């Protein structure tokens, strides 16, 4: 039965390996290497879990292709009795947040957010024990494109979509218990965005970014 700190190290080298796994990882880490640790109690994960990895990115600077190596923490989560419980976060190589959520004994509970590599929010949703419940929004390059509200996984109230070009309103729907009550279309410089599908007057949610743990 596992108790206490558990560590895992993957390295591609044979030199500078010691019993201190974290120190080994941090000594000139190479692409593809990673290190993580987790705490256990009576065989179940209990407490914080963190992991780091090293990757290579190619960027253009002054017209030249430059190779850069990044070592960063890519994952951080909290466990209780073997279940995700509390803050949950993933990160990009540049340290910017990628995904942030809160879980209650394995179930999404509270606000969950996705971000792009620049740190700008891509979308957010409000959850209550794995059920969409509250405000929802989508963004393009940090600018709002969708806002809506859900109750018990069903669209409730106003759903609004905005132009990516100038954030003008292009679509507005009012729904009750996932049933469309009325719809307004706004044409902005011939731009029209189809952000959802109506089937038999019912709302079917189409979201390209799935909230997963």
């Amino acid at each position: 039965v596992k108790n206490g700190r558990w560590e895992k190290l993957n390295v591609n080298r044979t030199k500078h390996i010691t019993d201190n796994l974290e120190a080994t990882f941090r000594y000139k880490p190479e692409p593809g290497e990673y290190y993580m640790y987790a705490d256990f109690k009576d065989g179940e994960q209990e407490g914080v879990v963190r992991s780091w990895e090293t990757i290579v990115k190619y960027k253009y600077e002054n017209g030249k292709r430059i190779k850069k190596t990044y070592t960063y923490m890519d994952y951080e989560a909290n466990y209780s009795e073997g279940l995700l419980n509390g803050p949950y976060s993933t990160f990009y190589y540049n340290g910017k947040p990628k995904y942030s959520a809160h879980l209650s004994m394995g179930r999404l509970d509270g606000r969950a957010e996705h971000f792009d590599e620049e740190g700008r929010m891509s979308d957010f949703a409000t959850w209550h024990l794995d059920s969409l419940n509250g405000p929802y929004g989508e963004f393009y390059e940090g600018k709002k494109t969708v806002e809506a509200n859900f109750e018990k996984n069903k669209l409730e109230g106003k759903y609004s979509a905005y132009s990516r070009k100038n954030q003008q309103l292009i679509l507005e729907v009012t729904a009750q218990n996932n049933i469309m009550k009325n719809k307004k279309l706004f044409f902005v410089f011939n731009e029209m965005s189809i952000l959802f599908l109506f089937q038999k007057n019912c709302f079917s949610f189409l979201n390209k970014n799935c909230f997963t743990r």
Side-chain angles (χ1 to χ4, degrees):
V1 177
K2 288 183 179 180
N3 277 292
R5 177 65 52 90
W6 175 85
E7 298 176 288
K8 184 176 182 180
L9 173 68
N10 178 69
V11 293
N12 303 321
R13 45 197 151 100
T14 57
K15 296 181 179 180
H16 309 295
I17 306 293
T18 70
D19 291 336
N20 188 323
L21 300 188
E22 183 174 1
T24 297
F25 170 75
R26 294 188 180 282
Y27 183 84
K28 297 181 179 180
E30 298 180 2
E33 298 184 343
Y34 67 85
Y35 164 77
M36 69 173 294
Y37 69 78
D39 293 320
F40 284 79
K41 181 180 179 181
D42 298 328
E44 300 282 2
Q45 282 186 253
E46 187 76 27
V48 177
V49 178
R50 294 187 176 99
S51 70
W52 292 261
E53 67 174 355
T54 301
I55 65 170
V56 167
K57 287 281 185 178
Y58 292 91
K59 295 187 175 183
Y60 285 90
E61 295 182 2
N62 299 321
K64 295 182 179 181
R65 190 168 183 253
I66 306 297
K67 175 183 176 181
K68 290 190 174 182
T69 301
Y70 296 87
T71 298
Y72 66 104
M73 183 172 68
D74 65 318
Y75 170 81
E76 182 178 40
N78 291 264
Y79 281 80
S80 294
E81 300 176 5
L83 296 173
L84 285 164
N85 190 52
Y88 175 103
S89 302
T90 60
F91 303 90
Y92 288 105
Y93 68 94
N94 58 9
K96 300 286 187 180
K98 185 176 184 180
Y99 177 67
S100 175
H102 187 278
L103 292 99
S104 179
M105 298 307 289
R107 294 189 287 180
L108 283 165
D109 195 34
R111 186 171 166 118
E113 303 169 331
H114 283 100
F115 301 87
D116 63 20
E117 287 189 11
E118 302 299 321
R120 299 171 298 196
M121 188 179 298
S122 299
D123 52 44
F124 74 86
T126 309
W127 298 85
H128 177 63
L129 301 179
D130 268 354
S131 176
L132 277 169
N133 204 77
Y136 171 89
E138 292 184 20
F139 303 82
Y140 176 73
E141 295 182 346
K143 298 176 181 178
K144 179 174 61 179
T145 56
V146 172
E147 60 181 348
N149 187 74
F150 286 83
E151 291 185 11
K152 297 180 180 179
N153 273 333
K154 295 180 179 180
L155 187 70
E156 187 70 30
K158 187 178 293 185
Y159 177 105
S160 303
Y162 301 86
S163 167
R164 287 186 175 185
K165 296 179 180 179
N166 53 25
Q167 284 66 64
Q168 289 191 37
L169 185 66
I170 58 176
L171 182 90
E172 188 175 275
V173 173
T174 301
Q176 184 177 3
N177 197 30
N178 231 39
I179 304 299
M180 180 179 65
K181 294 299 182 182
N182 59 66
K183 176 175 65 174
K184 296 179 181 179
L185 302 180
F186 302 84
F187 290 84
V188 180
F189 299 114
N190 296 319
E191 179 181 356
M192 210 37 244
S193 297
I194 303 301
L195 301 177
F196 49 79
L197 174 69
F198 291 102
Q199 295 178 338
K200 297 181 181 178
N201 207 37
C202 293
F203 182 89
S204 298
F205 194 56
L206 298 180
N207 179 16
K208 63 184 181 300
N209 295 311
C210 296
F211 289 91
T212 57
R213 35 192 115 103

